[in-house]
Amino acid sequence: MKRISKITGIVLISSLLWFCSGDDDTTNPGTGEPVEATKTLVETLSVPWELIWGPDNFLWVTERNGKISRINPDSGEQQLVYTIPNVSQVGESGLLGMVLHPNFDTNPYVYVVYTYNGGSGLLERLVQFTYANNTLSNETVLIDQIPANSNHDGSRLLITPDMHLFMTTGDAGNTNLSQDMNSLGGKTLRLNLDGSIPADNPFTNSYIYSLGHRNAQGLVLHPNGKLYSSEHGPSSDDEINIIQSGKNYGWPAVKGKIDTPNEQTFAANTEVIESIFEWTPTIAPSDLVYYTSNRIPEWTNKLLMTVLKDQRIIALTLNGDGTAITNEEVFLNGQFGRLRDIAISPQGRVFIATNGNSYGDTSNTHRIIEINKIEK
């Protein structure tokens, strides 16, 4: 596949201006010493999956073994908040996505997704907890018995300004589920924060917002109002998609663009939305965020995506109306191993969660690292 150029002249000029400007972000406000390009906050985690900046100005992290912790972003002090007792961690399953209520001070709710043993196999559920006194309680199940497996479980969570909760689900290794409207597998789901189905969802009495997905692990709402996702392909066509209400993204009949006879036959009978960017061979994309700060100017106004297999951050530039990606830039290539997740503070501080150097690494040596600047 043809690649887009990695570095543009605009990025080089902005980088030079930033390093020469004496910006306060390049020095430690306490000592005046230069800030390290990277800083390891925690290095004893077991497969961190979700990393978010909380409204309490702490980092919140899930580990696939069921642990939820808060991390002081300055000292790295880690506080275990709760361990979900019935999480089943098999392969890629376990405790996955998490999001906090936007009005956390008055509504201290924590939403998480985890897999559990359903008797005849793995299942997945979306739940709400209440946070108080540095622990969680009052587990409330919002959606249960979502198909799960040792791989392809999703699951990224996002709360939009209009207080709807979006959730990505995987096909649980059963490709038929993605086109099955009676299954929640291989979909993007949309619900109210109390677990009810929004009246304006595209399919009557259904959580399903979009279908035809394989395993989306990144989800971000851009300031332009578009909802972007990153999705794992099989051996080809990892994707970036724009998620739209009621639309079909083609899996398993369509991978990436509609460019083979079989894909064209399927699309002739089913309206399919094509991805806006693809990677072949696959790179294993994970979290997706939009960076608006000038703190790291190389990333300003770009989609940032963490990558597992190819062990990097990719910065993606959108065109003016957000319908296409015009540039791809690679950063931190191979420096920290597999990169699972990324969190951004309101001040533009960047934190990443690592997942070891190889697939299946479940050791307690995974890290949370702060990226302060890009070294050339």
Side-chain angles (χ1 to χ4, degrees):
M1 184 185 73
K2 184 178 179 181
R3 292 285 182 171
I4 299 171
S5 64
K6 302 291 185 185
I7 304 294
T8 65
I10 293 175
V11 169
L12 289 173
I13 292 170
S14 65
S15 300
L16 180 61
L17 291 173
W18 183 72
F19 279 114
C20 294
S21 67
D23 194 301
D24 289 342
D25 289 335
T26 65
T27 58
N28 187 311
T31 65
E33 297 294 324
V35 168
E36 296 177 286
T38 63
K39 173 185 176 182
T40 298
L41 287 181
V42 180
E43 51 187 353
T44 56
L45 296 174
S46 177
V47 199
W49 206 93
E50 184 76 69
L51 180 68
I52 56 177
W53 183 275
D56 56 356
N57 293 319
F58 274 70
L59 290 165
W60 287 66
V61 60
T62 65
E63 297 171 72
R64 281 215 308 248
N65 59 13
K67 293 181 179 179
I68 300 173
S69 300
R70 296 167 70 239
I71 298 171
N72 185 310
D74 298 315
S75 68
E77 178 187 2
Q78 182 180 351
Q79 304 171 355
L80 179 63
V81 174
Y82 191 68
T83 300
I84 300 176
N86 56 336
V87 166
S88 182
Q89 181 186 3
V90 182
E92 298 174 10
S93 68
L95 175 55
L96 303 172
M98 173 176 61
V99 69
L100 308 187
H101 194 289
N103 302 321
F104 196 65
D105 287 344
T106 55
N107 298 283
Y109 301 132
V110 179
Y111 302 85
V112 297
V113 173
Y114 64 87
T115 58
Y116 64 97
N117 190 333
S120 59
L122 288 174
L123 292 170
E124 186 172 74
R125 60 169 57 119
L126 168 65
V127 303
Q128 173 194 280
F129 287 101
T130 301
Y131 175 74
N133 301 317
N134 201 40
T135 191
L136 300 180
S137 61
N138 301 325
E139 179 177 2
T140 302
V141 177
L142 302 183
I143 307 179
D144 204 352
Q145 299 187 357
I146 301 168
N149 207 326
S150 58
N151 56 14
H152 296 197
D153 296 315
S155 171
R156 195 64 64 185
L157 299 179
L158 171 74
I159 297 178
T160 55
D162 62 358
M163 296 301 171
H164 289 114
L165 176 57
F166 283 82
M167 172 184 174
T168 67
T169 68
D171 67 10
N174 181 351
T175 60
N176 294 325
L177 298 183
S178 297
Q179 296 293 325
D180 183 352
M181 290 299 293
N182 293 314
S183 172
L184 297 182
K187 309 297 193 301
T188 307
L189 309 182
R190 179 176 181 257
L191 59 151
N192 297 315
L193 296 186
D194 62 1
S196 60
I197 298 172
D200 60 346
N201 266 13
F203 305 105
T204 304
N205 297 322
S206 175
Y207 290 113
I208 296 173
Y209 189 79
S210 68
L211 65 151
H213 300 289
R214 183 175 183 268
N215 191 25
Q217 294 190 355
L219 193 64
V220 64
L221 183 66
H222 192 282
N224 64 19
K226 290 181 170 60
L227 188 63
Y228 297 88
S229 78
S230 58
E231 183 166 340
H232 288 243
S235 58
S236 67
D237 295 293
D238 284 340
E239 299 176 348
I240 299 293
N241 288 299
I242 301 175
I243 303 302
Q244 303 175 54
S245 176
K247 299 302 184 181
N248 190 329
Y249 291 79
W251 176 256
V254 175
K255 300 183 290 293
K257 296 292 190 289
I258 304 169
D259 53 11
T260 69
N262 287 341
E263 291 176 335
Q264 291 163 0
T265 298
F266 180 84
N269 300 307
T270 304
E271 182 182 359
V272 174
I273 302 298
E274 294 181 310
S275 53
I276 64 169
F277 205 78
E278 309 82 30
W279 289 267
T280 298
T282 55
I283 60 175
S286 191
D287 193 25
L288 196 63
V289 299
Y290 185 68
Y291 191 73
T292 59
S293 174
N294 292 318
R295 185 183 179 96
I296 302 180
E298 294 91 338
W299 293 346
T300 303
N301 296 330
K302 295 173 183 176
L303 292 171
L304 301 181
M305 185 175 73
T306 51
V307 175
L308 293 159
K309 184 171 72 174
D310 278 20
Q311 304 184 1
R312 59 187 57 172
I313 284 179
I314 295 179
L316 300 166
T317 303
L318 292 164
N319 65 355
D321 63 4
T323 57
I325 290 171
T326 60
N327 197 41
E328 173 193 11
E329 303 163 65
V330 171
F331 296 91
L332 310 181
N333 191 22
Q335 292 185 37
F336 303 110
R338 294 163 58 83
L339 304 185
R340 168 64 67 182
D341 204 35
I342 185 168
I344 311 296
S345 81
Q347 295 77 34
R349 297 172 67 182
V350 178
F351 302 85
I352 58 174
T354 74
N355 273 182
N357 290 310
S358 61
Y359 177 80
D361 178 2
T362 57
S363 65
N364 294 317
T365 59
H366 300 188
R367 297 178 287 170
I368 305 298
I369 298 170
E370 181 174 7
I371 309 300
N372 291 301
K373 60 184 179 180
I374 300 301
E375 291 186 324
K376 300 297 183 184

